Amino acid sequence: MNLTGFVASLIADDGTAGWPSRVPARLDAVLDSMPLPARAGVRSAARALDAYAVVRTGRGLAALTTGERESVLASLAARPALLPLLDVLKVPVLLAAGTEHMLQRPRRAPRPVRTDPPLDCTPAGEWPDRSTADAVVVGSGAGGAMAARTLARAGLDVVVLEEGRHHSTASFAGRAPLERFAELYRDGGATVALGRPPLLLPVGRAVGGTTVVNSGTCYRTPDHVVERWTKDFGFVLAERLGPYLDETERTLNVATQPLDVLGRNGRIALAGAEHLGWRAAPLRRNAPGCLGSCQCVVGCPTGAKQSVQLSVLPDACAAGARIVTGARVRRVLVDPDRPGGPAAAGVRVRREGGGEFEILAPLVVVAGALQSPPLLRRSGLGGHPRLGRNLSVHPATSVAGRFDEPVTAWEGVLQSVGVEEHHDGGVLIEATATPPGMGSFVLPGLGGELRRELEDADRLATLGAMIADRPSGRVLGRERTLLRYDLDRRDGDRLMRAVRAMGEILFAAGAREVLTGIPTAPRARDLGELDAVLAAAGPRKLHLSAYHPTGTVAAGSDPERSPADAGGRLRGVTGVLVADASVLPGCPEVNPQLSIMAAALAVTEAYLER
């Protein structure tokens, strides 16, 4: 359907500026990248809104004047029950509108682009129908890359299989952020965990996995988390994580982010925390020489962020590993008649353009994160009752503060400052800003109000908070990953405390109002008003997202509790290792890239030692 009237209504296109007229075409491209249910949902809602306009006025949205569209939207907004649904509809529109509004601004001079180190990548269409290897690694993200490097350096013939494609730094630098967004995320960034409430859970799909599109923040696994994994779950490899974390930090060139490119968003967070006497500091990141492009979530356009396709996989390829792109693993092949029980025999793989091939290998490393439980089920290896359970996702929310002076939050480091004052209580606050429309924060209002918010977005500073959650989710499905997650009551309380704490920081830094993210009460002008808003709302009224899924093929000593044993070996079969985020037995409580890579290093080195 034609989206012109729908978009014109939501962002009040009155014809006085050129950029709004380009949003419908951009929105079409965004929707085309999303899975069919999401795409159909947005288009159906647009048709319903158009039909509502016809009932009220006798004409569709495209035929109405700006004032008439405002009247139609006002009648909908007067119904509080509809506001959360309208906020969901705004998400793809803000993606498109934010991009077009950004493109009209004066552009920065081109930044220097580093030359990527070489990778041995072969498209699946060019791979032979039958081949052999010593080890196959399924997935090229944080865990898969580290496993591939470790095995290749030990002299094994390693093949890495990646469903996505390889993207160069030069390709990032040459295109607008949104043009990269759909290609770099599974389902165009519209992966959703269904539940109460539903959570948007964006996951990367490319050579390098989610490390290509994460923030670059590198926390070490907290000591109390390592102790819990060891004592409560029997994940004995966690005791060895210290040296492996050191090695991972060296590989990624992790260092504290210098102040000179922090950006005003980060400096505001530091100022607010300092005024309150709270613990806060620039984050440690894997981005030496960061130029503050604020595009980490759509691929660093300068090559500063050392995602694994720039740091770990080149070393793996130098040691002989090969990467096959556009390759979806259909199943792990198993020989049921081996002495000692069933054993891995290789993988069967579907090519992106059609057709299949097989790689025969005695070792298969599963490193596909959310894709790992469905793969194991398709392979006849999903019999453990806890497989796919125990899902933690770091539920997250964000708020914004409006300042009198421009902040221009998208100039500087995307995720710049960590506020750890409430971390002991399970709340980690980070100053996070993204290219316009690409963050988890949804601007308030409809029509003219939303248009004004878009055009005044340079005066907003944004903070995000994620919660150390109880594992309340499941990965279901065989052919396609299906996610179910119900927010635990304790974690809901933590989210509300997080919103209050972020409001305190912003007001302490001089914000004249805080945008709460609550559709029915989107603004607070002081802490007292914010407290009243939060007292009348609940966590399910917040606009929530989630990150860092872990735990669904958890390792541990108890065979009834853990699908993988204490060394990360899948139970019930020989020759299958788990080396991604799913092997972590519980919530890591911090951005987990270092934890995942150190765990993968521990699992593969333990295998080699045997």
Side-chain angles (χ1 to χ4, degrees):
M1 65 166 292
N2 189 317
L3 295 170
T4 301
F6 172 67
V7 169
S9 300
L10 289 186
I11 62 170
D13 181 6
D14 56 7
T16 59
W19 67 267
S21 66
R22 298 190 294 270
V23 174
R26 182 77 68 174
L27 178 58
D28 257 327
V30 171
L31 295 179
D32 285 345
S33 70
M34 292 182 174
L36 179 59
R39 185 165 67 244
V42 173
R43 293 188 184 279
S44 296
R47 281 191 290 268
L49 183 56
D50 201 58
Y52 179 75
V54 170
V55 170
R56 280 187 61 90
T57 70
R59 289 168 293 155
L61 293 170
L64 300 181
T65 66
T66 303
E68 289 169 333
R69 292 187 197 118
E70 288 283 309
S71 177
V72 169
L73 290 177
S75 68
L76 292 172
R79 308 177 187 189
L82 291 179
L83 291 177
L85 296 176
L86 292 169
D87 257 17
V88 171
L89 276 182
K90 283 157 51 178
V91 172
V93 175
L94 286 172
L95 269 173
T99 294
E100 291 299 337
H101 190 241
M102 180 183 68
L103 290 176
Q104 73 159 0
R105 299 187 184 100
R107 298 196 181 188
R108 286 179 170 185
R111 300 295 186 92
V113 177
R114 304 178 193 185
T115 301
D116 292 356
L119 294 178
D120 185 345
C121 288
T122 302
E126 300 175 16
W127 195 260
D129 291 343
R130 179 68 64 92
S131 61
T132 61
D134 296 325
V136 171
V137 179
V138 182
S140 67
M146 190 60 94
R149 188 184 79 166
T150 306
L151 296 172
R153 284 179 168 179
L156 276 66
D157 178 18
V158 177
V159 177
V160 180
L161 298 170
E162 169 55 51
E163 188 176 353
R165 300 178 182 178
H166 175 232
H167 300 268
S168 68
T169 298
S171 74
F172 296 152
R175 292 181 294 162
L178 186 56
E179 292 171 6
R180 290 128 58 185
F181 188 90
E183 294 182 10
L184 294 172
Y185 284 87
R186 186 174 295 277
D187 296 330
T191 302
V192 174
L194 299 176
R196 301 188 304 271
L199 300 175
L200 189 67
L201 205 168
V203 180
R205 190 180 72 160
V207 172
T210 300
T211 73
V212 179
V213 294
N214 70 11
S215 63
T217 297
C218 290
Y219 273 98
R220 292 176 70 94
T221 318
D223 290 342
H224 69 274
V225 171
V226 171
E227 183 178 3
R228 186 176 78 246
W229 289 351
T230 305
K231 291 185 176 179
D232 294 355
F233 297 94
F235 182 35
V236 294
L237 293 182
E239 296 176 333
R240 302 161 58 175
L241 282 190
Y244 294 140
L245 289 167
D246 294 339
E247 168 63 16
T248 301
E249 287 189 319
R250 285 192 295 271
T251 297
L252 300 179
N253 290 304
V254 174
T256 301
Q257 181 63 53
L259 292 173
D260 59 342
V261 293
L262 208 60
R264 286 211 67 205
N265 198 65
R267 292 196 292 272
I268 283 170
L270 287 175
E274 182 180 14
H275 186 82
L276 295 168
W278 289 4
R279 293 171 290 156
L283 288 164
R284 288 172 58 77
R285 305 179 67 243
N286 62 332
C290 173
L291 298 177
S293 302
C294 199
Q295 295 181 29
C296 303
V297 295
V298 283
C300 178
T302 68
K305 189 182 74 170
Q306 295 298 287
S307 40
V308 297
Q309 89 280 7
L310 301 181
S311 54
V312 182
L313 288 172
D315 291 344
C317 291
R322 294 165 289 168
I323 303 168
V324 185
T325 61
R328 183 173 189 263
V329 179
R330 289 289 304 135
R331 62 185 297 123
V332 177
L333 302 175
V334 177
D335 183 348
D337 299 321
R338 292 273 182 92
V347 291
R348 181 174 298 134
V349 187
R350 177 176 294 166
R351 296 182 173 94
E352 183 179 38
E356 294 189 343
F357 63 91
E358 290 184 352
I359 302 177
L360 304 182
L363 175 64
V364 176
V365 181
V366 176
L370 290 176
Q371 308 306 310
S372 293
L375 169 61
L376 295 173
R377 293 188 187 107
R378 292 196 300 271
S379 306
L381 300 173
H384 195 284
R386 297 290 297 170
L387 183 82
R389 295 181 179 270
N390 193 50
L391 174 64
S392 286
V393 297
H394 276 155
T397 191
S398 55
V399 301
R402 189 181 310 282
F403 288 80
D404 290 326
E405 299 298 322
V407 176
T408 320
W410 51 86
E411 292 182 359
V413 176
L414 182 141
Q415 194 167 86
S416 53
V417 167
V419 181
E420 300 195 25
E421 187 67 22
H422 296 278
H423 200 190
D424 292 344
V427 176
L428 180 57
I429 296 172
E430 294 166 333
T432 304
T434 61
M438 291 187 187
S440 59
F441 184 77
V442 178
L443 292 171
L446 296 166
E449 182 183 3
L450 183 58
R451 171 77 172 269
R452 289 188 292 275
E453 289 290 352
L454 267 170
E455 294 179 336
D456 201 33
D458 64 338
R459 296 179 185 273
L460 295 178
T462 54
L463 301 177
M466 65 185 195
I467 306 304
D469 66 329
R470 287 176 174 156
S472 304
R474 298 176 63 185
V475 174
L476 306 166
R478 291 170 57 91
E479 297 303 316
R480 182 176 176 83
T481 299
L482 304 172
L483 306 178
R484 174 78 196 193
Y485 187 93
D486 291 315
L487 187 68
D488 183 89
R489 182 185 296 274
R490 182 204 68 175
D491 298 330
D493 292 340
R494 286 181 170 180
L495 285 165
M496 300 304 284
R497 292 202 301 274
V499 172
R500 211 279 180 177
M502 289 188 286
E504 286 184 81
I505 294 168
L506 291 167
F507 281 127
R512 57 184 172 88
E513 71 171 353
V514 163
L515 306 183
T516 66
I518 299 172
T520 52
R523 305 172 195 281
R525 287 163 292 187
D526 54 43
L527 270 178
E529 193 170 335
L530 179 61
D531 286 336
V533 166
L534 296 178
R540 291 186 174 87
K541 295 288 183 67
L542 300 174
H543 182 77
L544 301 181
S545 52
Y547 307 92
H548 317 141
T550 59
T552 55
V553 198
S557 58
D558 185 345
E560 294 185 0
R561 188 180 185 186
S562 303
D565 70 13
R569 298 178 293 269
L570 187 70
R571 298 186 191 276
V573 63
T574 301
V576 177
L577 302 182
V578 185
D580 59 25
S582 66
V583 80
L584 305 179
C587 179
E589 301 188 10
V590 291
N591 304 59
Q593 181 173 340
L594 294 186
S595 301
I596 296 165
M597 295 177 71
L601 183 53
V603 167
T604 47
E605 288 212 345
Y607 169 83
L608 292 170
E609 289 170 5
R610 286 169 60 90

